[in-house]
Amino acid sequence: MSQQRYERERLLHPAADVLEMAGRLGRVMLTASREGATHERIGLVDRVERSGLAVRLAGAAHDAEIDIAALGAVILDRSGRMKDKALPRLDFQDRDGAALFSLVGLDGLEPFDAGLAELRGMIADAAAPAEPMERTDVAEGDPGSLPFEAARRAGLPVTIELQRQGLRQAWSGTIEAVKPAMGFINVMQPDFHLHLRAGSVASWRTGEDGAAGDDLELLAENAQGEATGLVVRGPAAALGKP
């Protein structure tokens, strides 16, 4: 007898075991947010590499390192939709039950469920409603856009990384366009999206890893001078010092 499936399930498996299924789910988007920045990698997971307490999702479309010691429950949510397309997701929580990151299935429900068929779950509570977000227009010269515009003009490859407790995710490539829209600064590539809320970055500080040779590392800071976890690395000729 097959197991009854629920719209939302709390999986009865360690988060690391669930992550090892990532390569079976078809195209996925790993999306993580911190301090106004949402960092998304999009495509097939070619390799899942596990070493001690670390799991790495790797390949042409993914570059994420996850500390499994920081992970708590995993919620399988089948309710997501965009128009007529199902967008199932795995929501990975931290030890306190807060959202850490999600894997969203982009090829529909069938391949997603097939990839997770051997996992079991119990019914989970309904998701809390999303809090309404105040939308702010992107001001001309918003500090958040400066390194991305500089890299676009230079036409040189850079790395855009998001760091938060338990997760580091990066993308490297040449920025084709920087588009302000809907209150966000957007960098949109086929395998990567960055959505940076207007006004969330007050300045960029040169990191310690950016002092060697011709490379530069820039750390985004909020209005209180605190690092937000958004990092840009690349040749000084691409980034300059905003």
Side-chain angles (χ1 to χ4, degrees):
M1 181 181 295
S2 61
Q3 182 201 24
Q4 181 179 357
R5 311 304 290 187
Y6 303 103
E7 186 171 74
R8 281 177 54 83
E9 296 183 30
R10 181 187 177 107
L11 295 180
L12 304 175
H13 300 264
D17 294 348
V18 180
L19 281 170
E20 290 191 356
M21 307 294 179
R24 307 180 186 182
L25 306 178
R27 293 181 307 122
V28 294
M29 176 174 67
L30 194 160
T31 176
S33 299
R34 182 183 174 192
E35 299 244 6
T38 298
H39 193 290
E40 301 171 338
R41 291 302 311 266
I42 302 161
L44 296 172
V45 175
D46 296 330
R47 302 184 307 281
V48 180
E49 303 166 352
R50 186 169 176 177
S51 176
L53 294 177
V55 173
R56 182 167 182 257
L57 305 187
H62 288 276
D63 180 5
E65 295 178 1
I66 299 152
D67 177 5
I68 59 178
L71 300 181
V74 183
I75 305 298
L76 169 55
D77 190 334
R78 299 181 172 88
S79 65
R81 302 195 68 84
M82 180 178 288
K83 297 182 179 179
D84 295 330
K85 184 176 182 179
L87 292 174
R89 60 193 292 140
L90 291 166
D91 292 325
F92 289 80
Q93 300 176 348
D94 65 17
R95 295 287 186 178
D96 296 323
L100 184 57
F101 65 91
S102 297
L103 281 175
V104 182
L106 302 178
D107 291 331
L109 187 56
E110 186 174 342
F112 205 78
D113 269 348
L116 300 171
E118 64 192 71
L119 301 184
R120 296 294 176 259
M122 59 183 290
I123 191 167
D125 295 335
E131 295 183 5
M133 184 180 64
E134 183 179 351
R135 184 175 297 167
T136 304
D137 291 337
V138 180
E140 185 176 354
D142 186 305
S145 68
L146 297 181
F148 309 116
E149 285 287 7
R152 180 193 63 79
R153 291 191 298 269
L156 296 172
V158 296
T159 296
I160 303 173
E161 183 174 291
L162 184 69
Q163 303 171 354
R164 57 174 303 173
Q165 186 176 7
L167 174 70
R168 180 209 62 83
Q169 179 166 255
W171 170 84
S172 298
T174 303
I175 296 175
E176 298 172 2
V178 181
K179 299 180 179 180
M182 307 291 286
F184 286 83
I185 298 158
N186 302 289
V187 177
M188 309 284 281
Q189 306 287 137
D191 61 349
F192 168 64
H193 293 170
L194 174 71
H195 307 291
L196 182 60
R197 191 171 65 238
S200 60
V201 175
S203 61
W204 295 87
R205 173 170 55 86
T206 301
E208 293 180 1
D209 293 340
D214 295 328
D215 291 334
L216 193 65
E217 178 184 66
L218 300 177
L219 310 178
E221 296 182 327
N222 60 22
Q224 290 72 46
E226 302 163 334
T228 69
L230 182 62
V231 181
V232 186
R233 298 188 187 91
L239 298 175
K241 177 63 172 73

